[in-house]
Amino acid sequence: TAQPSPAAATARAGEPARTTSHPSPTDAPPDTPVDPLAPVTPDPTHRPAAAATRTVPHVLYIGASPDDHAQLRVDRGLRELLGIAEWGGIVVEPVPAAMASDLRRIRATRPDILHLACHGSGESLLFEDIHGEEHAVSAHQIVRTLRLYRDEVGIRLRGLVLASCDSEAIVEQFRGTADTVVAHTGPLDDLCANAFAGLFYREVAHGLGLAGAARVAARLTVLDNESCEALESGLVVLS
């Protein structure tokens, strides 16, 4: 038969039961050393810092195809990028039928990558005017604009893609306007350029650096279509 404990017997006699307590380290007098191995009650208000999240690259895609020149399928290039944006790989700000004034969107969107898809002519890129016809803007003027946004507004581009024919003739002028500048030597086939853009931004979305993404995309473009071999051999990357 179980016997009642002394504490229970005392309680029945009308006296308060005595219990044994173990002081916690925080209950110790100020001069008493605290045992570092003593259990510590967790603070219920503590919340661990949130893990850093990877920023999704923001692409400003500016495309122009003046009516008085061979048509560029800027819409197909945009379709490639928008397909990647659908699964959250990148964020795309599309600007088709672009005029030179659309470069001001750089300030509004603060993109990571500026993609210029247009015809090239000598040391100029061809935008559209209000009538849809050619408006040639010198590389020098575009570079001045990018440097102004960099120095005065604090917009530093991670990447600049010059998707135009013979852009190697002007690429050195753009050195320093972005961390990585991608250009092409000689004629740039429209179909190959759009395929390259889709593969390039897929690699970027998967976290590959821009220079590496450009080289991998060029190689994969040729694997898919051997007629695009000139795109890989003529690829120019400044970083």
Side-chain angles (χ1 to χ4, degrees):
T1 304
Q3 299 295 322
S5 67
T10 304
R12 284 197 299 269
E15 297 180 8
R18 292 177 296 173
T19 58
T20 303
S21 62
H22 300 280
S24 68
T26 55
D27 294 330
D31 296 333
T32 303
V34 176
D35 181 3
L37 299 180
V40 178
T41 303
D43 181 0
T45 64
H46 174 72
R47 294 291 182 272
T53 56
R54 182 171 64 88
T55 302
V56 177
H58 191 128
V59 182
L60 178 58
Y61 186 100
I62 293 181
S65 182
D67 294 337
D68 47 351
H69 286 268
Q71 184 184 23
L72 295 178
R73 293 304 305 269
V74 175
D75 55 337
R76 288 186 177 176
L78 279 174
R79 181 178 180 178
E80 294 284 348
L81 272 67
L82 292 173
I84 301 170
E86 284 183 355
W87 53 267
I90 58 175
V91 175
V92 181
E93 176 77 18
V95 187
M99 297 188 292
S101 58
D102 285 313
L103 289 171
R104 71 184 63 175
R105 293 174 183 255
I106 295 171
R107 181 170 186 177
T109 61
R110 305 182 75 91
D112 297 299
I113 304 171
L114 173 62
H115 190 115
L116 299 177
C118 53
H119 285 292
S121 178
E123 294 199 351
S124 297
L125 296 179
L126 305 185
F127 292 83
E128 300 183 24
D129 63 14
I130 59 174
H131 303 293
E133 297 182 351
E134 170 192 320
H135 175 202
V137 181
S138 69
H140 174 68
Q141 293 297 332
I142 299 173
V143 168
R144 287 186 61 187
T145 302
L146 297 182
R147 286 178 176 168
L148 183 68
Y149 283 137
R150 179 195 64 191
D151 298 339
E152 302 299 334
V153 188
I155 300 174
R156 177 73 183 189
L157 296 172
R158 283 181 53 201
L160 170 64
V161 179
L162 300 173
S164 62
C165 295
D166 302 308
S167 52
E168 88 286 352
I170 59 175
V171 67
E172 282 294 338
Q173 297 185 52
F174 287 91
R175 186 185 290 274
T177 60
D179 296 338
T180 301
V181 183
V182 178
H184 302 275
T185 301
L188 181 61
D189 180 82
D190 193 33
L191 177 65
C192 298
N194 289 332
F196 169 80
L199 292 166
F200 172 71
Y201 287 107
R202 284 183 184 277
E203 295 299 330
V204 171
H206 287 302
L208 191 59
L210 300 187
R215 296 186 183 99
V216 170
R219 178 88 289 269
L220 295 178
T221 300
V222 177
L223 282 178
D224 290 341
N225 186 348
E226 291 188 10
S227 67
C228 297
E229 188 171 357
L231 182 145
E232 181 181 25
S233 61
L235 182 69
V236 179
V237 179
L238 301 182
S239 58

